[in-house]
Amino acid sequence: MTASQHMVQANGIRFRTMVDGPPQGDLFILLHGFPEGAESWSRPLSALARAGYLAVAPDLRGYGLTEAPKEVEAYAIDHLVEDVRSLIKAFGRDAAHVAGHDWGAIVAWFFAARNPEMTKTLTVLSVGHPAAVAAASRDDKDQQERSRYVALFLLEDKAEQVLAEDDYKRLRAMFARPNPEAVPRSAIDHFTRSLARPGRLTAALNYYRANLSAGGGAWEKLANIGNIKTPTVLIWGDQDPALGRLGAESTASHVDGPYRLEVLEGAGHWLQFERPDEVSRTLAGAANR
């Protein structure tokens, strides 16, 4: 099977989506993070399609060929959650299996909390429950160190300047930590070219600016979402440079439904590229439980 591209109207925005799998299959929606795009899910997308699911990976608002509102407030979590709800409806469904990585994981957590009746299963990559990560960013020196980059990302114009310097050298370098060969050069080039278009790097950074704050408690604004009742799996790489062990291990206390933490030893942050087969098996396995 080969993914096809579809432009979909949802929540007042035109989304570009990658779609694969039988139209009658259960819907699986896959949400990417910063600084990526729908292509980060290419291999899991194909694997899910072969397993009989209708797999959909959108470019989130501001990314890829999806429209990019200019206002910072347009990237607040409420709008991002509504994007997912509207996308599920746009594909003619009342519910879906929801998965997310990085910022897509945060959106997925919030979606499951606010729309449990629409969330068949929840699979999150790298990012623990927002309340767990908020507590770690407030109290844990290790997580505070890992979150230091957030202070830069919140600086309008300055962050854009720093990340764009020397042909986006720092942005490209993010993909090399800790496993330099994990993300193909072609993918890095594609994501970088996409964000180099006018206004697009700012749109991606607006996810941080609309939802996080400076200082040790960077994640505090996202803490109060309540416990999750949906069957949930968290996949976390123990070499992730941005998200430490405390946030991952304390997530269990914030999930009331069936829950499992899957630790990928030696893996970093870019799990769909570093461990695509394991991620794909976990996604399909979670949906079949």
Side-chain angles (χ1 to χ4, degrees):
M1 297 181 182
T2 302
S4 57
Q5 298 189 50
H6 299 266
M7 301 304 294
V8 178
Q9 195 75 21
N11 195 23
I13 288 182
R14 197 162 180 255
F15 287 85
R16 174 258 189 169
T17 64
M18 294 175 61
V19 181
D20 201 351
Q24 71 277 10
D26 270 6
L27 180 63
F28 227 118
I29 189 159
L30 307 164
L31 310 172
H32 70 80
F34 176 91
E36 301 172 278
E39 288 82 4
S40 66
W41 289 104
S42 292
R43 289 182 64 176
L45 190 84
S46 297
L48 288 169
R50 291 193 298 270
Y53 295 97
L54 177 61
V56 175
D59 285 330
L60 299 188
R61 64 166 60 200
Y63 283 89
L65 298 180
T66 294
E67 293 177 345
K70 292 184 178 180
E71 302 80 10
V72 174
E73 295 75 17
Y75 298 86
I77 194 68
D78 290 353
H79 299 300
L80 305 177
V81 169
E82 181 59 24
D83 288 348
V84 179
R85 193 194 72 82
S86 296
L87 280 166
I88 291 172
K89 293 292 187 181
F91 278 87
R93 307 305 176 88
D94 293 321
H97 302 282
V98 179
H101 171 250
D102 191 80
W103 267 105
I106 297 171
V107 176
W109 280 116
F110 271 81
F111 181 83
R114 295 180 179 179
N115 301 277
E117 75 288 352
M118 295 185 69
T119 314
K120 292 186 174 183
T121 61
L122 174 65
T123 307
V124 281
L125 280 60
S126 304
V127 185
H129 187 283
V133 178
S137 75
R138 183 182 62 245
D139 303 326
D140 180 44
K141 289 185 178 180
D142 174 67
Q143 186 57 56
Q144 290 171 8
E145 282 297 309
R146 294 169 187 266
S147 298
R148 287 181 63 187
Y149 69 94
V150 173
L152 170 63
F153 286 6
L154 296 178
L155 298 177
E156 295 185 24
D157 298 326
K158 178 65 173 179
E160 285 87 337
Q161 176 187 338
V162 170
L163 292 174
E165 284 175 353
D166 195 14
D167 189 28
Y168 294 85
K169 180 179 179 179
R170 288 180 177 84
L171 192 71
R172 294 173 182 274
M174 291 174 59
F175 291 104
R177 299 177 58 206
N179 300 314
E181 305 302 320
V183 185
R185 177 63 181 268
S186 59
I188 296 173
D189 288 343
H190 172 77
F191 295 144
T192 302
R193 284 195 305 269
S194 181
L195 289 177
R197 292 174 297 150
R200 289 303 179 124
L201 181 55
T202 294
L205 290 168
N206 281 343
Y207 281 69
Y208 295 87
R209 294 163 183 169
N211 298 292
L212 302 187
S213 57
W219 296 73
E220 205 65 36
K221 291 167 66 176
L222 296 177
N224 298 318
I225 71 168
N227 283 15
I228 304 298
K229 298 176 174 58
T230 300
T232 300
V233 178
L234 167 61
I235 310 174
W236 174 72
D238 69 355
Q239 300 302 309
D240 192 311
L243 293 141
R245 182 174 294 276
L246 181 60
E249 292 186 343
S250 58
T251 287
S253 63
H254 299 281
V255 182
D256 294 336
Y259 172 72
R260 179 165 59 90
L261 169 63
E262 182 172 322
V263 178
L264 300 184
E265 295 184 0
H269 188 68
W270 315 105
L271 300 180
Q272 305 100 302
F273 291 101
E274 295 179 61
R275 304 288 181 85
D277 294 337
E278 289 161 277
V279 167
S280 298
R281 283 196 298 269
T282 298
L283 288 166
N288 285 325
R289 292 176 67 182

